[in-house]
Amino acid sequence: MPEADGSSELIELAAVVRSHGLRGELLLKPFNPESTLLSELKHVLLKARDGTVTRFEVEDARTHGDGQLLALKGVRSREASDALRGSLVCVTRADLPAPEEGEHYLVDLVGLEARDAQGELVGKVEDVIDYPSVTCFVVVAPEGKREVPNLPRYVLAIDPAAGTVTV
């Protein structure tokens, strides 16, 4: 039986689009289609539209066209999987593998200080938006919010250990 989990630091990996087949599989829309993480997980957290978070053991996960199919322990019928439609598939930060040298997770950049090339504080990274064409940092400054494209001409350095993004 799934267990409730009240973890507040959730990383969203995919959305449940609909049920698939008659045995309760879920069709997911992964937020990072290039990632293989969904296929490697032993458990996931499903965040329902009402905010309720439930832990499920993963029985099977595989690619299906542009999406991912997910079979969860305790979800054995189309009706049970239909009830999960619209949920977000999440993990905790601790469930993510350590990034490779020189890599970082976008979620880890939220909260970093944005500084200019001279080291002056420009603002703070409030959010990261992954558009189809480019990833942007939402920087909150005294004069308002601005989106900074994560391209070499706009982002000079990213140093999570130092807590800064140089823009």
Side-chain angles (χ1 to χ4, degrees):
M1 202 70 179
E3 300 170 21
D5 186 310
S7 176
S8 61
E9 189 183 0
L10 298 180
I11 310 299
E12 298 171 358
L13 301 179
V16 177
V17 178
R18 62 177 171 80
S19 59
H20 178 80
L22 301 174
R23 291 177 283 200
E25 284 186 305
L26 302 170
L27 178 64
L28 307 180
K29 178 182 188 242
F31 298 142
N32 180 358
E34 298 167 13
S35 173
T36 60
L37 182 61
L38 282 167
S39 299
E40 301 164 9
L41 295 170
K42 303 254 187 271
H43 71 272
V44 294
L45 301 168
L46 287 191
K47 183 177 178 184
R49 292 179 189 197
D50 68 2
T52 304
V53 177
T54 308
R55 184 177 193 266
F56 288 91
E57 284 185 46
V58 175
E59 290 187 336
D60 187 39
R62 63 189 188 283
T63 302
H64 181 75
D66 292 338
Q68 187 96 14
L69 292 178
L70 189 65
L72 302 173
K73 187 173 184 179
V75 181
R76 299 270 185 242
S77 68
R78 184 175 197 85
E79 293 75 21
S81 61
D82 275 340
L84 299 173
R85 183 184 294 206
S87 296
L88 295 173
V89 179
C90 305
V91 294
T92 63
R93 178 65 179 89
D95 290 328
L96 295 175
E100 297 289 324
E101 181 72 30
E103 292 182 340
H104 48 268
Y105 287 109
L106 295 178
V107 69
D108 293 339
L109 305 181
V110 174
L112 298 185
E113 292 180 345
R115 296 192 169 269
D116 64 19
Q118 291 73 42
E120 295 296 318
L121 184 64
V122 174
K124 194 171 203 156
V125 178
E126 178 182 77
D127 196 7
V128 179
I129 301 173
D130 198 17
Y131 292 115
S133 60
V134 68
T135 300
C136 289
F137 302 132
V138 178
V139 176
V140 177
E143 56 275 358
K145 291 183 184 181
R146 67 178 97 165
E147 291 184 13
V148 179
N150 186 15
L151 297 171
R153 69 189 260 193
Y154 301 109
V155 177
L156 307 176
I158 300 172
D159 189 351
T164 61
V165 174
T166 305
V167 296

